[in-house]
Amino acid sequence: MIVLRSSEEIEKMRRAGRLVSGVLEMVARTAAAGVTTLELDELAEKMIREGGARPAFKGYQPDFIKHSPFPATLCTSLNDVVVHGIPDDRPLKEGDLLSVDTGAVLDGYYGDSAVSVIIGNAGLEIRRLVDVTRLALESAIGECRPGNRLSDVSHAVQKSVEEAGFSVVRRFVGHGIGTEMHEDPPVPNFGEPGNGPVLQPGMVFAIEPMVNAGGFEVEASPQRWPVCTKDGSLSAHFEHTVVITGGEPDVLTWPVGSHLGLEKSVRLE
Ligand code: MG
Ligand code: MG
């Protein structure tokens, strides 16, 4: 069942979303050659807790996972890691592609967002992968209008990614979000348009294209975390928490005061 959120609930989610986008901005600003993902994780957890929230991922262990809970505040997914990378003490290197995903729970409501950043200088193909993934998310957000169907959102991602010659991951998808991190409906990044539920004001989705430079197949480690591309190709990931309104989509995880977060991801060098 897809829950329709009231305007009071949306405002609570906006506070969670703003905290998450602030954390990602901080991480994008701090990530540099020589910095470790563990250092980024510690800063992120501190910022979330100082904001009166708790990290949504730390200790996350849904019923269907029988092994270890996720141990960190950030998912830090480097190069061929698609999602669910665990922060560690290896320093980032020039040319790394780092995807950072985080969530926070504030006053019982969740925000969830991800950004991919390039460490230092990198080749054209990495930049293009990051750009295409970001634009695929923006194009999906553009379909978040009342009266459209859910698969119109999914199709927008697939179309922009495949036209650029990259592939979308099938095994992991976006999701509804609210008082749980993962709610109905699943929001795939692929599919024909015109199918699924009709979008209505009050629906809230975490839309999150995962885009591989090579094939779409992925492989999870035996511990489930992390997930890598099967062919070893690079992968990028962007995510926003988006509300369907009576008109324009309302993005709860846009950085405050600017659209800096997304643009910055490719200009950070
Ligand atoms: Mg996320
Ligand atoms: Mg998500």
Side-chain angles (χ1 to χ4, degrees), residues 112 175 208 239:
D112 188 4
H175 48 92
E208 48 180 315
E239 177 177 24

Side-chain angles (χ1 to χ4, degrees), residues 18-33 35-48 73-78 87 92 97-103 113-120 255 260-261 264-265 268-269:
R18 281 191 177 160
L19 182 55
V20 164
S21 67
V23 168
L24 289 180
E25 271 195 283
M26 179 278 292
V27 168
R29 220 180 306 117
T30 312
V35 174
T36 72
T37 49
L38 209 50
E39 289 167 336
L40 298 175
D41 191 68
E42 282 163 10
L43 291 171
E45 177 169 1
K46 184 163 177 278
M47 192 168 164
I48 288 175
T73 295
L74 302 178
C75 293
T76 51
S77 303
L78 210 52
L92 293 168
L97 170 55
L98 175 67
S99 299
V100 183
D101 189 353
T102 197
S113 185
V115 64
S116 290
V117 297
I118 294 167
I119 307 302
L260 177 69
K264 191 171 184 177
S265 61
L268 203 78
E269 63 285 322

Side-chain angles (χ1 to χ4, degrees), residues 160-202:
S160 40
V161 169
E162 291 183 354
E163 279 176 0
F166 298 131
S167 64
V168 287
V169 170
R170 267 90 162 142
R171 186 153 150 208
F172 295 89
V173 298
H175 48 92
I177 181 167
T179 52
E180 301 287 341
M181 184 157 62
H182 296 127
E183 298 185 355
D184 278 342
V187 183
N189 295 305
F190 57 94
E192 291 302 312
N195 297 316
V198 175
L199 304 187
Q200 296 175 49

Side-chain angles (χ1 to χ4, degrees), residues 139-151:
S139 128
I141 291 170
E143 294 297 320
C144 288
R145 292 168 189 284
N148 275 2
R149 288 190 181 260
L150 185 63
S151 81

